[in-house]
Amino acid sequence: EIQMTQSPSSLSASVGDRVTITCQASHDIKNHLNWYQQKPGKAPNLLIYDASNLKTGVPSRFSGSGSGTDFTFTISTLQPEDIATYYCQQYVSLVTFGPGTNVDMK
Amino acid sequence: EVQVVESGGGLVQPGGSLRLSCAVSGFRISAYWMSWVRQAPGKGLEWVANIKEDGSEQNYVGSVKGRFTITRDNAKSTVYLQMNSLRVEDTAVYYCASSAIWGQGTMVTVSS
């Protein structure tokens, strides 16, 4: 079973800040990684697929990179509506989510 | 417009059963793997099970193997999750999903 870790588990940032979240897989998952945003009481929303592809309609301030075991998710300029929990998800072998990163406003 | 509607959740005693349904419209589920993902109160996302496009392959997280069964009826554009021998730790919101397509979830509470 592939395990996923994320860091940090939570962070506080100001509007306009650059926010970076890392995700690490226990085995090589190539680029089979998604990033989701989840707001309280809502279903997750896919932002990035195949590690670095922006889903249509998602603002360009969101980006993803990486392959193999190490991945990065970036919000280039944090907006108030970006307050949420972010999850990485691998799908090369079954499916596993990372534990999530809670992003709030400083 | 794509709509995903889960139903069948509720309160059940430990050891009981529930059958969740996921009705999808505006999206051709026959071309995609479909999954159930759950989220316990205040916790993160946990993948539960998935099923291949034609229903010929199913996979489960270890904690539900032998207790849960995922099936699909492509003609009805519906995915199911039969949950037996439910445990308190199965309490969660259960989402039906396929990558970018998610429902709003149905709550399952296992309690005596």
Side-chain angles (χ1 to χ4, degrees), chain A residues 89-104:
Chain A
Q89 177 211 47
Q90 70 80 21
Y91 49 92
V92 74
S93 173
L94 302 183
V95 175
T96 318
F97 288 93
T101 295
N102 185 52
V103 175
D104 64 25

Side-chain angles (χ1 to χ4, degrees), chain B residues 56-96:
Chain B
S56 62
E57 182 179 339
Q58 306 88 33
N59 298 296
Y60 301 92
V61 69
S63 59
V64 309
K65 274 183 187 175
R67 301 189 298 122
F68 290 12
T69 303
I70 186 171
T71 57
R72 65 191 298 161
D73 184 336
N74 287 338
K76 294 184 178 179
S77 199
T78 301
V79 182
Y80 305 96
L81 186 68
Q82 177 67 44
M83 305 187 295
N84 298 330
S85 304
L86 281 161
R87 304 168 180 169
V88 170
E89 56 265 33
D90 295 319
T91 294
V93 174
Y94 283 73
Y95 295 101
C96 174

Side-chain angles (χ1 to χ4, degrees), chain A residues 24-65:
Chain A
Q24 188 167 54
S26 60
H27 298 79
D28 182 355
I29 61 169
K30 306 183 195 311
N31 69 333
H32 298 298
L33 185 98
N34 291 334
W35 287 97
Y36 288 91
Q37 176 193 66
Q38 187 181 32
K39 297 183 178 180
K42 300 294 187 181
N45 180 38
L46 178 68
L47 302 179
I48 304 286
Y49 65 95
D50 293 345
S52 61
N53 294 295
L54 193 67
K55 179 191 162 191
T56 300
V58 173
S60 59
R61 64 180 179 273
F62 296 102
S63 65
S65 64

Side-chain angles (χ1 to χ4, degrees), chain A residues 65-81:
Chain A
S65 64
S67 67
T69 60
D70 296 297
F71 301 86
T72 301
F73 172 81
T74 300
I75 307 172
S76 60
T77 51
L78 187 70
Q79 299 301 305
E81 60 267 32

Side-chain angles (χ1 to χ4, degrees), chain B residues 9-54:
Chain B
L11 174 63
V12 63
Q13 292 188 337
S17 297
L18 280 177
R19 188 196 197 203
L20 306 185
S21 298
C22 167
V24 182
S25 58
F27 179 76
R28 193 165 58 97
I29 71 164
S30 59
Y32 297 92
W33 283 76
M34 297 295 296
S35 292
W36 287 95
V37 175
R38 67 185 178 184
Q39 187 168 37
K43 302 297 184 183
L45 301 170
E46 181 183 37
W47 170 79
V48 173
N50 63 8
I51 185 167
K52 197 174 180 179
E53 295 94 332
D54 62 358

